[in-house]
Amino acid sequence: MITTQNIYKAIRTRLTADLPTITTQIKDVKNPAPPCLYIQYVSVNENEIASDTINTITSFAIVYFSDKKTLLDMLQVEQSLRKSFKKPLKVEFLNGQSTESRFLDVTSINSAINETDYILTVTLDFNFYQATDVDNPYDDYINTDTMEILEGV
């Protein structure tokens, strides 16, 4: 099952590959060292659609701290991020004992620029369906003797 940690790692991998000249800061976001990017977890909502399927809606924000302190710099980075995340995101996850991968489309990309502090925030929204990892909740209630009798009818 795909987790928010799996999506976070995939975003970080994409940023490192597509924007190699900008450091992706993992720790100490209170003291950013511009120019740098920071991945911020926003939210997740999981709704059970059927006993074995859930709809996952999650959001992450990519925050860019500019060192050039110009609107043009932030607009260029915004364009680079939009271009990078228009491509489906390869997310690797553990399925049982094996690692699998799936491509997720970003359902929406929203951005906001804070010209006072020269900070760009680009929010990525994901909306996808996946099978649950949970065993059948009715397994404890299945009576095999009754099932054999019913199958014989």
Side-chain angles (χ1 to χ4, degrees):
M1 190 164 125
I2 297 173
T3 65
T4 52
Q5 293 93 336
N6 301 134
I7 297 171
Y8 173 87
K9 289 176 186 176
I11 292 170
R12 190 175 66 209
T13 300
R14 174 71 57 87
L15 290 173
T16 303
D18 289 358
L19 289 95
T21 59
I22 303 174
T23 303
T24 301
Q25 195 160 330
I26 298 171
K27 298 179 182 176
D28 199 21
V29 73
K30 292 180 181 176
N31 299 306
C36 69
L37 297 165
Y38 175 72
I39 305 167
Q40 180 182 19
Y41 168 74
V42 178
S43 67
V44 68
N45 186 9
E46 293 181 337
N47 297 306
E48 187 174 325
I49 303 301
S51 63
D52 62 347
T53 305
I54 58 172
N55 174 224
T56 302
I57 302 167
T58 189
S59 297
F60 286 86
I62 300 169
V63 183
Y64 170 65
F65 299 93
S66 176
D67 64 334
K68 295 181 182 165
K69 301 193 182 293
T70 65
L71 178 60
L72 183 59
D73 175 53
M74 291 186 293
L75 292 173
Q76 288 171 338
V77 172
E78 176 190 26
Q79 186 62 33
S80 296
L81 289 169
R82 285 182 175 277
K83 181 180 177 185
S84 178
F85 287 98
K86 283 190 186 225
K87 301 176 283 188
L89 184 67
K90 183 179 181 181
V91 179
E92 293 184 347
F93 61 99
L94 193 61
N95 188 7
Q97 297 298 325
S98 63
T99 300
E100 294 185 12
S101 61
R102 179 173 165 191
F103 287 91
L104 297 180
D105 290 321
V106 177
T107 54
S108 69
I109 301 174
N110 300 296
S111 57
I113 293 177
N114 175 336
E115 288 187 77
T116 304
D117 297 323
Y118 298 98
I119 297 172
L120 164 70
T121 304
V122 176
T123 304
L124 309 174
D125 298 319
F126 299 89
N127 185 345
F128 58 96
Y129 294 88
Q130 62 181 331
T132 61
D133 281 342
V134 181
D135 294 330
N136 186 342
Y138 300 105
D139 283 347
D140 293 339
Y141 302 106
I142 295 175
N143 183 327
T144 54
D145 294 334
T146 304
M147 294 301 290
E148 288 174 8
I149 293 169
L150 291 174
E151 288 174 0
V153 175

